[in-house]
Amino acid sequence: GESVGLHLPTLSVQEGDNSIINCAYSNSASDYFIWYKQESGKGPQFIIDIRSNMDKRQGQRVTVLLNKTVKHLSLQIAATQPGDSAVYFCACEESGGGADGLTFGKGTHLIIQP
Amino acid sequence: DAGVIQSPRHEVTEMGQEVTLRCKPISGHNSLFWYRQTMMRGLELLIYFNNNVPIDDSGMPEDRFSAKMPNASFSTLKIQPSEPRDSAVYFCASSPTSWGDEQFFGPGTRLTVL
């Protein structure tokens, strides 16, 4: 199967600072990418997505960047807040790929320090 | 809307017993997904349904696992017989359409097989 990995398992940032979480994927056929946030004891929650025809997409305090050349995805969170503390993981989908075309990263634990 | 509903939230059983996990997707959503999450393997897609029909079950680990969706508002994931290595958190998610669309996750069922 394809691999999706995260560079840092734990990221600690000061409240108010910006954070960047990275993700590398290996399936060049992936054309849809999603970032999820998972708080302790809860299910994953959609944050933002991006399709392969874009290289940047912005939401409220979050920005996703996609570099298809190096198969790299990042999530930027601006002005972090205590509520941002969670595990963040990326997912990559390949249209028409079925279950084999969907891969999730292991996750990065983001810790916001006061 | 109450979101995706899963039951039970916690299940502890002994090896060899049958386990049934239940899911109620968001009303109006056409696709339903079953996932398993462990520390070692992260989030894995087991099976997904579209319009109540199983589309891809290639993620189901073995014949001990089976899933059904008798109607648009209910799905079950059954493990028979259960084994300790099945211990994980099982998530159900639904989406308005199919691939390439945001998935809404339930709170999960934490399964422990002794």
Side-chain angles (χ1 to χ4, degrees):
Chain A
E2 300 296 334
S3 64
V4 178
L6 293 166
H7 296 310
L8 297 173
T10 302
L11 177 63
S12 182
V13 299
Q14 291 292 125
E15 181 180 350
D17 288 351
N18 300 333
S19 66
I20 299 176
I21 301 171
N22 297 303
C23 178
Y25 63 96
S26 58
N27 183 2
S28 56
S30 296
D31 54 9
Y32 179 56
F33 306 86
I34 316 111
W35 278 102
Y36 288 96
K37 172 186 180 182
Q38 187 173 19
E39 296 174 277
S40 180
K42 297 183 179 180
Q45 179 185 8
F46 173 95
I47 302 174
I48 191 168
D49 60 359
I50 189 168
R51 299 190 186 275
S52 58
N53 60 350
M54 303 173 67
D55 52 21
K56 180 179 180 179
R57 192 169 185 213
Q58 288 184 294
Q60 188 175 21
R61 289 198 304 115
V62 295
T63 300
V64 55
L65 299 177
L66 175 63
N67 186 330
K68 295 181 289 294
T69 301
V70 296
K71 295 198 278 291
H72 184 269
L73 188 70
S74 68
L75 175 71
Q76 301 177 1
I77 305 175
T80 53
Q81 303 169 357
D84 294 331
S85 292
V87 174
Y88 292 80
F89 55 91
C90 60
C92 306
E93 285 186 16
E94 174 189 346
S95 296
D100 287 344
L102 174 63
T103 312
F104 289 84
K106 293 290 191 296
T108 290
H109 188 191
L110 177 64
I111 299 172
I112 308 300
Q113 296 187 344
Chain B
D1 196 316
V4 176
I5 299 172
Q6 290 186 248
S7 65
R9 293 295 312 276
H10 301 272
E11 177 79 31
V12 180
T13 190
E14 291 188 343
M15 181 175 61
Q17 296 298 307
E18 177 179 299
V19 175
T20 299
L21 311 181
R22 298 172 176 80
C23 175
K24 178 179 174 15
I26 293 174
S27 177
H29 282 192
N30 293 329
S31 290
L32 182 141
F33 306 81
W34 280 103
Y35 293 90
R36 176 172 68 177
Q37 187 177 43
T38 61
M39 289 294 293
M40 290 296 294
R41 301 173 67 88
L43 198 62
E44 302 172 282
L45 177 66
L46 301 176
I47 185 172
Y48 80 95
F49 295 84
N50 186 251
N51 293 322
N52 313 338
V53 177
I55 302 300
D56 192 329
D57 64 354
S58 58
M60 297 284 262
E62 49 196 273
D63 292 344
R64 296 184 298 106
F65 286 69
S66 63
K68 295 181 179 179
M69 192 164 186
N71 56 63
S73 61
F74 184 66
S75 176
T76 59
L77 177 67
K78 184 177 294 186
I79 308 173
Q80 166 63 20
S82 58
E83 297 181 2
R85 60 194 170 114
D86 301 332
S87 297
V89 180
Y90 290 81
F91 289 104
C92 175
S94 69
S95 73
T97 54
S98 183
W99 297 114
D101 209 351
E102 178 183 349
Q103 295 183 23
F104 297 80
F105 283 76
T109 295
R110 180 172 294 279
L111 173 65
T112 302
V113 183
L114 303 175

